[in-house]
Amino acid sequence: MIYPDTMRAMVLEKAGNPLICKKLPIPRPSDCQVLVKVLACGICRTDLHIIDGELDKPKLPLIPGHEILGTVIEAGKAVKEPVPGQLVGIPWLSQTCGHCKFCLQGMENLCDNPLFTGYTIDGGYAEYTVANARFCFVLDEQYRSPSSAPLLCAGLIGFRSYQMITPSAQNIGMYGFGAAAHILVQIAIAQGKKVFAFVRDNDNQAKQFAKAMGAYWAGGSSETAPELLDAAIIFASAGELIPKALKEVDKGGQVICGGIHMTDIPTFSYDLLWGERSVKSVANLTRQDGLNFFSALKNVAVHTQTQVFKLSEANDAISMLRSGQISGAAVLIMDEA
């Protein structure tokens, strides 16, 4: 396929600074990579942590973005799949070493020497990107829409967090009702669960959004749910929500932390943890998580609410997401028309 020599990309040169729109050479795939023409890239909360310097080990300069939806246009010599023309999703986990103890035990999400899309290698805030073919998900054509981009992280990490919960749990709390929670609530409801959504105090718009997406109850993060929870998932990056969630869950309850970054957790008394309650973090994802997630979507009609921005509007979209002005997910599209 014939394609140009250069591309537009939004580049982070220094943490805390706005992204800069640049014209860069289009990367060429190595033997094990594919070159992908990006259709859309979701803006994840993790991107904000990188841009703001809270995740402090990025490759710089960096093209952020790891919720990438695109079409393969060239494959390296060693690549058998995906093939040019196929639709793929490119997630956060870009590559693992394959030989550390975690990789050998089937826990590649904990690999000692991983690469991460849009953090340690360039990501999808660009017209083109390259990716390790073995870590791409080949997607059905039904996902060829910008609204599918958030599934590649918000959906995947949300689903991994959800799978950490005991299947018998019925009352599930979700703290931080953004991109991940608004996808996950639809899966939980389809499985007969009751979802209790906790949003920023006094954010009535977020409460209404959670209710519209099917939450049984929605309230501020300082409020008490009307029923004891069997489990809670924390997507917000506020460490003080851990003791709050422990107060809300019943004996044997689980508190799952679904974010990659969280502020310091305040001290709390042991009685909040006692009763076989537990706190567990979720780290990255595995390729099997992706296969399980997209398999589950065959049985659940999930609608992602997205606000679409042009690539050149990335800084505006980031600012709006940071200030809580976006319900659901923000997505960048590469077509400026």
Side-chain angles (χ1 to χ4, degrees):
M1 180 179 289
I2 299 175
Y3 49 87
D5 294 325
T6 61
M7 66 179 186
R8 291 176 305 122
M10 299 299 292
V11 179
L12 176 68
E13 294 196 333
K14 184 179 179 181
N17 286 1
L19 304 181
I20 300 171
C21 186
K22 289 191 168 186
K23 183 172 284 190
L24 300 173
I26 290 178
R28 297 296 186 257
S30 68
D31 287 352
C32 64
Q33 291 181 322
V34 288
L35 174 63
V36 174
K37 180 175 173 58
V38 180
L39 303 175
C41 185
I43 300 177
C44 180
R45 180 66 58 175
T46 300
D47 296 339
L48 272 62
H49 294 316
I50 295 168
I51 293 166
D52 294 343
E54 293 164 330
L55 292 178
D56 60 359
K57 296 178 177 62
K59 175 191 87 71
L60 291 176
L62 172 73
I63 302 172
H66 58 272
E67 295 180 338
I68 306 171
L69 186 72
T71 303
V72 175
I73 62 170
E74 185 179 330
K77 295 178 182 179
V79 175
K80 294 182 179 179
E81 191 183 48
V83 298
Q86 284 188 305
L87 181 70
V88 295
I90 302 173
W92 169 249
L93 186 64
S94 174
Q95 186 172 308
T96 58
C97 71
H99 54 73
C100 71
K101 70 175 184 179
F102 298 105
C103 287
L104 295 175
Q105 293 172 11
M107 296 184 288
E108 65 182 9
N109 59 304
L110 302 180
C111 174
D112 284 334
N113 298 286
L115 293 176
F116 297 113
T117 310
Y119 184 42
T120 58
I121 64 170
D122 285 329
Y125 290 13
E127 293 176 306
Y128 294 84
T129 192
V130 290
N132 186 308
R134 296 189 304 111
F135 288 80
C136 295
F137 298 117
V138 177
L139 301 178
D140 294 337
E141 284 297 311
Q142 72 185 77
Y143 295 109
R144 193 179 286 275
S145 165
S147 63
S148 298
L151 298 176
L152 273 302
C153 185
L156 283 169
I157 292 298
F159 189 69
R160 182 175 175 85
S161 302
Y162 183 64
Q163 288 189 306
M164 297 288 183
I165 294 172
T166 302
S168 61
Q170 287 298 308
N171 289 1
I172 300 173
M174 295 186 188
Y175 287 81
F177 204 87
H182 99 285
I183 294 170
L184 191 56
V185 67
Q186 299 173 67
I187 297 173
I189 291 171
Q191 295 180 352
K193 313 294 186 181
K194 288 164 66 173
V195 173
F196 299 75
F198 295 85
V199 304
R200 293 178 181 175
D201 287 331
N202 302 315
D203 191 342
N204 292 324
Q205 181 178 342
K207 291 179 187 179
Q208 293 171 5
F209 175 58
K211 293 285 286 184
M213 295 305 298
Y216 176 79
W217 174 89
S221 59
S222 66
E223 295 183 51
T224 300
E227 301 177 26
L228 280 173
L229 307 177
D230 299 310
I233 304 175
I234 301 177
F235 293 115
S237 58
E240 64 269 20
L241 291 177
I242 289 181
K244 168 61 166 57
L246 285 169
K247 289 181 181 179
E248 298 284 331
V249 297
D250 204 350
K251 289 178 289 186
Q254 301 163 278
V255 175
I256 308 297
C257 302
I260 193 172
H261 170 80
M262 185 172 275
T263 58
D264 289 347
I265 304 166
T267 58
F268 58 89
S269 59
Y270 177 65
D271 64 292
L272 293 184
L273 189 62
W274 192 78
E276 300 195 352
R277 296 173 179 86
S278 64
V279 178
K280 187 172 186 177
S281 68
V282 173
N284 311 315
L285 72 150
T286 67
R287 283 170 285 181
Q288 189 62 47
D289 288 329
L291 297 176
N292 293 344
F293 176 56
F294 284 104
S295 178
L297 292 187
K298 294 178 181 179
N299 301 314
V300 181
V302 168
H303 166 73
T304 57
Q305 178 159 315
T306 56
Q307 190 164 339
V308 175
F309 298 84
K310 297 176 182 178
L311 178 62
S312 58
E313 298 172 330
N315 287 315
D316 294 332
I318 290 165
S319 178
M320 290 178 66
L321 183 62
R322 186 184 288 114
S323 60
Q325 297 180 57
I326 293 176
S327 295
V331 176
L332 300 177
I333 56 172
M334 305 308 124
D335 186 357
E336 292 286 299

